[in-house]
Amino acid sequence: MADEAVAARPAEPAAPKAKEARSPEAPPRGGGRGDDRAKDAPERPDAPEPTDTSDSADDEAGEREKERERAADRFKDRTRDPLTEEEGEEGPTDAAAAARARREGQKLLSSNRDLIGFDRSDIGQVHIGDINVRLDALRSGLLMRDGPVPAEELLRIRRTHIEPDGYVRLRRALEARRLLVLGGAPGTGRASTALALLEEVTRAGEGRENSERVRRADPARGVRELATQVAGGTGGHPRGTGYLLEPALDRPGTLPPDGMDLDQLASALAEQGSYAVVVVSVGSAANPLLAGRYGAICPPAPTRELVAVRLRQRLEEEHGDPVRGGGAGGPGGGDGRGPRDGDGSRDAGGGRDRNGGAHRDRGRDEHADRDGGEGRDRDGSPDGGGHGRRDGDGRRGRDGSVGRDGGRSGDRPGRGAGPDGDGSLSLLLERAAELREDPEVTEAVGLDDLRPAEAELFASLLAGHLRGTVSRAELLSGCRGLAAVQAYEWFAGVDRALAAPPPGDGRTPVRSGTAALFHPVAFRIALAVLGGASHSAVSAAAHLLTWELSVQSDPDSTPARPLFCDDPEADLALSRARPADGVVDVAGSEVTGRLIFYRGSALPAAVLAELWDRHFPVRAPVVRWLRLLADDPRPQVSMRAAVAAGELSVRDFEHGYAELIRPLAEAPTPRRRVFAATALDQAAGHASHRRAVRKVVDNWSLHGTPAQRWTAAMALGYGRCADSMDDTLDTLAEIGVRDDGEQLAVASLNVVRLLTLPECATVLRRLAAWTGHRREEYQDLALVSIVRLALTDVDEVLDDEPGTPLGDRGDWPLLLALAATRPELTGKLADLFWTALNTARSRDVALDALETLLRSASRKDGRAWTREGLAALLPALTAEEQDRRRLDWLLRRMMRDQDRPLAEERARALWRLAVPARQRRSEEEESHG
């Protein structure tokens, strides 16, 4: 094609005149198409037939032409998308979104965390090295019911309590109204804050001389009985007493107190000069209380300060040598605070600055409005965000600066215990600051922020390692156990309250028992499975699971499902979750959405492990729920659920295979079979189960039903379900050629998926061998795979993150992306595509695919797109005269297209990419005589 004659010069005589016409076969190229060309080429007798047989010859020629057309139609049918529904669905599937969802789900569940050695009969007891910490003893109010708070506990809280933001406002509200309803998630230090408030206000009130001035009230009695008790003076409690009440609002049939109950209690407290703090969990039951005049949210204490104070305590207990210079001179960071004065202010013994700086003014009234549903750290960062981690610019938190070695000195035993150390507490605190920022320790903890009991255990582990009593392996194992402990607490005895009798206060319960009880648990499970998906998707899945759990628990009753009682913020707080703006795939497009994640990479795997390993009755409803998610048309839901199903199967492969993988592998819909294949691949990612998975896939490919063979092919496409790439290709070929190519479409798709792996050269060699195979089914498998390679975008089949050579070309056709990024493979790719273009039954589909490639050279706005890949592929594809004539004809056809005409300048540019300048000059001279 001369540059001047792209539009005007007539087509070459040998080129096809229209799309349906067929050009003659090209000479052999690559040495593999001789037999097939002979089969596809029209017969040309050497001598003319006798005139009396001309009619029969015409009939035979017509029949051969019809057979070629039928072969071309069969071939085109095999190039369809095997992931579409068999019945009537012609639209493209969102394979790119599915690949991204699978990749995101794997990242959340790929921690492979081990569990610490604790007594499963009592998870509150943790024993690591010489550390024996009873976690539940650190939670105020859990062991004691009705009675005075010991003076020792009040003294401990007075010395070590970390004030959350807004503490001053909470104290002033309690002083003004005598009653405070304090809301927060369990374990965030809300009870400790309540005790600190009561200790402070009663010490300055009428009960200052009373050694038992702070008392816990029986949770079973409720607000009404407490009001009656205070007003009547029963129980012998003196004036000025402070009461802590934690009502059991999560008990089925229990109604929260109303506004009149709270007013009655406040009035009684005022008459007696007393105070009360009612601690509740955020949620639909407590929201009316928190929204009233007495309600307030208790922000969690900042993690850095929590760990610093607890660590200082541990080291001082063992070392017995307070830091010199008063208060907070040590870089490891205790708070150095002295006891409060009668007015609630700190004495001169220490300041709030962890580095010995100026005191933080207790009168933080100008910041009181910051107290809300989300607390903030001392450095102003959002609550929990980055607690215990290095700041983005490499600076440490308020606990002091450290060296540049990344905390690797934590590998050594503590200097205080070794013969070469001077035993200084200051040096221990400095090394503790380094160790807590060690990247390996941070990864092992796997929690964005620590709660008080977790900070206690973490500090004990750090102190033990510094003293030489806890090895580094024990330190890391103990850190990994923090998430397991949290998961245990979330699930232990959740439905025990269903067996409890209803309250005897004379009121008729109106709340549903099971649905309200199971929803927080269901939300945590849904978040573990679908973390990173949209908030709405996780919430909807949680409601489905709430239904399944409720029906399993009480099959004779229809669970009530409140429609207007959801509290998204409470769900986040109760599940240690965080929202984030992100991208959601919708109908092939990316839109902005509100995503949701756990506040810690360790929590998803810990929740699934706790659920599957300890709560066997829950498996049946969870399996039903996962099957429902397998039918969800949104890839962000179904693929994440499939990854989670694979992880659950690893924990009990017998159960997972029997209840999830095999039933879904035999399902009639491709979506369910893809779910089963993804779960199998996820299990194959674990070395402990890889052999079993490969045996399953091998059996299905040889002896399985058609649906099982289809599922086996999809599992093989991930590249981990066979011993080697050659074994994978052998198995895919057996599936594809069996039963006259019934599964050829899905086999070819997964051959293409394998081309994104490092062993893609092996796949190309096998495709070349199949093109020369004696059996037509093997030839078709190769040809369909080659055409599909040109029609498949990279992000539909790639597992890599953006940032890799292929990952940065996600919207490129895979054929062009490989040509651009793997120049050593360009010749093989061109030979294979040339074979498809020169085989009769695949020619039409291959030409259409080539047209698609050519149109992708630049985007609609003129910016370059796949030009780099075309520049690499086209010269190798048009090395012969006939190939250039075919490209000339195709460009002309594209320019004459009534719907999408190709601009002349773009056609010239494509021609220049394909044909070297020397050959263009020669053709131009010939065309001008």
Side-chain angles (χ1 to χ4, degrees):
M1 174 187 286
D3 293 345
E4 299 84 354
V6 173
R9 203 178 79 187
E12 297 289 342
K17 300 298 182 182
K19 178 179 178 181
E20 292 76 20
R22 284 162 167 67
S23 61
E25 297 289 345
R29 173 177 175 173
R33 298 302 309 152
D35 295 341
D36 191 59
R37 279 191 302 274
K39 181 189 304 183
D40 289 329
E43 296 181 3
R44 295 174 181 171
D46 296 332
E49 293 290 335
T51 56
D52 57 352
T53 61
S54 59
D55 292 339
S56 61
D58 291 340
D59 293 340
E60 292 178 4
E63 186 62 30
R64 287 195 298 269
E65 180 64 22
K66 291 180 180 179
E67 177 58 32
R68 282 194 292 270
E69 291 178 356
R70 287 192 292 269
D73 291 339
R74 287 194 300 270
F75 185 88
K76 185 176 182 179
D77 184 64
R78 287 171 172 173
T79 62
R80 62 177 171 78
D81 187 353
L83 301 182
T84 58
E85 302 287 347
E86 275 83 352
E87 305 206 355
E89 185 177 336
E90 295 293 339
T93 57
D94 201 351
R100 284 190 290 271
R102 172 178 172 269
R103 185 167 61 242
E104 294 297 326
Q106 286 181 321
K107 286 196 302 183
L108 293 179
L109 295 172
S110 62
S111 56
N112 295 324
R113 310 178 65 83
D114 61 340
L115 301 180
I116 61 175
F118 46 76
D119 182 4
R120 281 289 195 174
S121 63
D122 183 7
I123 195 103
Q125 186 82 18
V126 179
H127 180 77
I128 304 169
D130 69 342
I131 299 173
N132 192 3
V133 182
R134 188 168 181 81
L135 294 178
D136 53 8
L138 303 176
R139 304 186 195 104
S140 300
L142 186 58
L143 296 181
M144 297 185 64
R145 291 299 183 183
D146 192 3
V149 178
E152 295 79 6
E153 184 175 353
L154 292 178
L155 181 60
R156 180 184 64 82
I157 289 176
R158 184 179 176 187
R159 290 177 174 175
T160 65
H161 179 254
I162 301 297
E163 297 175 358
D165 287 332
Y167 180 87
V168 172
R169 187 165 69 90
L170 295 175
R171 174 170 55 83
R172 293 191 172 180
L174 179 59
E175 291 172 338
R177 299 188 179 94
R178 301 281 177 169
L179 174 63
L180 182 66
V181 179
L182 196 60
T188 56
R190 55 188 185 161
S192 296
T193 298
L195 286 175
L197 288 168
L198 290 171
E199 190 276 336
E200 191 168 347
V201 297
T202 56
R203 183 157 39 88
E206 299 181 33
R208 67 174 64 91
E209 303 299 331
N210 180 14
S211 62
E212 299 181 353
R213 64 180 185 273
V214 179
R215 301 183 62 87
R216 290 187 176 93
D218 187 354
R221 294 181 178 178
V223 171
R224 281 190 173 185
E225 291 195 25
L226 179 59
T228 302
Q229 183 181 14
V230 172
T234 59
H237 304 162
R239 292 177 60 85
T241 299
Y243 299 92
L244 173 63
L245 174 64
E246 298 185 58
L249 299 182
D250 58 349
R251 189 174 178 179
T254 301
L255 290 172
D258 54 28
M260 294 183 62
D261 296 331
L262 296 177
D263 289 339
Q264 181 182 0
L265 176 58
S267 176
L269 292 168
E271 292 178 3
Q272 296 294 324
S274 300
Y275 302 90
V277 178
V278 179
V279 175
V280 296
S281 295
V282 292
S284 59
N287 283 348
L289 303 178
L290 298 175
R293 70 172 66 93
Y294 303 104
I297 295 294
C298 180
T303 291
R304 291 183 180 275
E305 296 194 26
L306 272 175
V307 175
V309 171
R310 302 295 187 261
L311 183 58
R312 183 184 182 88
Q313 279 184 290
R314 290 294 184 186
L315 292 176
E316 286 181 346
E317 289 172 0
E318 297 295 330
H319 197 276
D321 180 20
V323 176
R324 300 170 182 84
D335 66 351
R337 294 176 294 176
R340 294 184 180 90
D341 293 334
D343 60 354
S345 62
R346 302 289 184 193
D347 64 21
R352 291 305 299 252
D353 191 327
R354 291 292 182 257
N355 295 310
H359 294 265
R360 183 183 292 268
D361 185 8
R362 279 293 306 276
R364 292 170 290 173
D365 301 293
E366 66 276 12
H367 301 295
D369 57 343
R370 289 165 52 190
D371 183 15
E374 296 181 15
R376 301 184 69 84
D377 295 340
R378 299 300 184 191
D379 59 358
S381 61
D383 165 40
H387 287 330
R389 294 176 180 246
R390 189 188 302 267
D391 293 338
D393 59 358
R395 294 179 290 112
R396 300 298 187 194
R398 297 187 59 84
D399 50 347
S401 60
V402 298
R404 295 288 183 181
D405 60 355
R408 301 310 301 174
S409 60
D411 292 329
R412 305 187 301 269
R415 296 181 187 176
D420 57 344
D422 59 7
S424 169
L425 180 59
S426 298
L427 293 177
L428 284 178
L429 289 171
E430 181 179 356
R431 293 191 55 237
E434 296 179 6
L435 181 59
R436 60 182 287 193
E437 298 291 348
D438 187 321
E440 192 174 10
V441 172
T442 300
E443 189 279 333
V445 171
L447 298 172
D448 292 350
D449 47 12
L450 296 180
R451 293 178 171 179
E454 296 163 349
E456 179 80 19
L457 177 57
F458 183 48
S460 299
L461 290 168
L462 294 177
H465 184 63
L466 292 172
R467 299 195 309 266
T469 58
V470 174
S471 67
R472 186 171 182 86
E474 290 176 322
L475 168 66
L476 297 178
S477 181
C479 291
R480 294 187 182 103
L482 293 174
V485 172
Q486 174 64 94
Y488 176 88
E489 294 172 2
W490 276 342
F491 292 102
V494 168
D495 55 352
R496 186 176 295 120
L498 291 176
D505 56 7
R507 291 182 293 176
T508 302
V510 296
R511 291 173 55 208
S512 170
T514 56
L517 189 66
F518 288 131
H519 179 71
V521 176
F523 190 87
R524 292 161 188 155
I525 298 173
L527 184 56
V529 172
L530 303 179
S534 64
H535 195 167
S536 61
V538 174
S539 181
H543 278 292
L544 286 177
L545 182 55
T546 299
W547 177 277
E548 294 293 342
L549 294 174
S550 300
V551 170
Q552 185 77 11
S553 176
D554 188 6
D556 296 330
S557 302
T558 301
R561 184 177 181 181
L563 301 179
F564 297 98
C565 292
D566 274 6
D567 185 353
E569 297 304 322
D571 289 339
L572 296 178
L574 293 174
S575 301
R576 300 183 76 160
R578 61 177 177 86
D581 292 332
V583 173
V584 179
D585 292 292
V586 179
S589 302
E590 294 184 350
V591 298
T592 302
R594 187 174 189 248
L595 311 183
I596 183 172
F597 300 85
Y598 268 117
R599 299 181 68 88
S601 60
L603 287 172
V607 166
L608 294 183
E610 173 67 23
L611 177 74
W612 219 241
D613 292 349
R614 290 185 54 83
H615 305 283
F616 296 105
V618 180
R619 289 187 176 188
V622 170
V623 164
R624 294 195 300 267
W625 174 66
L626 288 173
R627 291 180 180 179
L628 290 175
L629 298 187
D631 293 325
D632 197 296
R634 296 168 295 180
Q636 66 163 326
V637 174
S638 58
M639 294 303 291
R640 283 181 168 87
V643 171
E647 287 296 315
L648 294 176
S649 297
V650 168
R651 308 202 70 85
D652 187 347
F653 193 73
E654 177 189 15
H655 187 272
Y657 175 77
E659 299 295 331
L660 278 171
I661 294 176
R662 186 175 64 184
L664 294 178
E666 298 171 348
T669 59
R671 186 174 288 119
R672 285 196 161 201
R673 298 199 293 265
V674 169
F675 185 101
T678 304
L680 272 176
D681 172 73
Q682 187 68 18
H686 295 259
S688 58
H689 288 70
R690 192 167 299 143
R691 182 177 180 182
V693 171
R694 290 174 177 176
K695 184 65 174 177
V696 169
V697 171
D698 189 56
N699 286 338
W700 284 357
S701 62
L702 293 176
H703 312 295
T705 64
Q708 288 176 335
R709 294 199 303 273
W710 194 100
T711 305
M714 288 300 301
L716 288 165
Y718 290 115
R720 297 191 293 193
C721 293
D723 293 333
S724 66
M725 181 59 70
D726 285 325
D727 291 340
T728 300
L729 293 168
D730 287 340
T731 308
L732 282 173
E734 292 171 357
I735 295 172
V737 304
R738 184 173 173 177
D739 298 333
D740 296 326
E742 178 185 0
Q743 306 285 357
L744 193 144
V746 68
S748 65
L749 170 64
N750 289 283
V751 170
V752 172
R753 292 171 64 196
L754 295 174
L755 285 167
T756 63
L757 302 180
E759 303 94 329
C760 61
T762 302
V763 182
L764 294 179
R765 286 196 299 269
R766 184 63 64 89
L767 286 174
W770 287 342
T771 59
H773 201 279
R774 291 179 299 176
R775 292 182 57 185
E776 184 175 326
E777 291 83 358
Y778 281 91
Q779 299 170 12
D780 282 349
L781 177 59
L783 294 171
V784 171
S785 300
I786 294 165
V787 172
R788 197 180 297 282
L789 173 63
L791 297 175
T792 301
D793 287 346
V794 171
D795 57 8
E796 296 181 53
V797 292
L798 184 68
D799 284 338
D800 290 350
E801 292 282 354
T804 62
L806 282 181
D808 289 338
R809 295 169 172 81
D811 60 348
W812 283 37
L814 181 56
L815 176 61
L816 298 182
L818 288 174
T821 59
R822 302 286 298 273
E824 73 278 9
L825 301 179
T826 302
K828 297 178 181 179
L829 293 168
D831 284 345
L832 289 170
F833 197 58
W834 182 93
T835 302
L837 288 169
N838 287 276
T839 302
R841 60 182 179 276
S842 62
R843 182 184 303 122
D844 289 347
V845 179
L847 277 173
D848 290 342
L850 179 58
E851 178 178 342
T852 301
L853 297 179
L854 295 173
R855 291 188 183 277
S856 71
S858 58
R859 303 184 188 276
K860 291 182 179 180
D861 58 3
R863 292 182 296 117
W865 187 2
T866 65
R867 182 183 178 87
E868 180 187 1
L870 287 168
L873 181 69
L874 287 178
L877 191 62
T878 58
E880 300 178 4
E881 174 63 20
Q882 179 174 334
D883 303 328
R884 292 190 289 273
R885 287 163 54 195
R886 178 172 49 229
L887 178 63
D888 180 20
W889 170 83
L890 181 59
L891 289 173
R892 293 173 184 276
R893 189 183 77 172
M894 294 168 62
M895 294 170 63
R896 293 192 298 266
D897 192 307
Q898 297 296 322
D899 298 324
R900 300 172 60 199
L902 182 68
E904 180 177 344
E905 60 273 15
R906 292 193 177 185
R908 291 178 184 275
L910 290 170
W911 179 256
R912 294 190 186 103
L913 284 179
V915 181
R918 178 182 56 80
Q919 295 180 359
R920 292 202 304 269
R921 287 195 299 271
S922 174
E923 292 172 356
E924 183 176 0
E925 291 173 358
E926 292 179 3
S927 65
H928 286 83

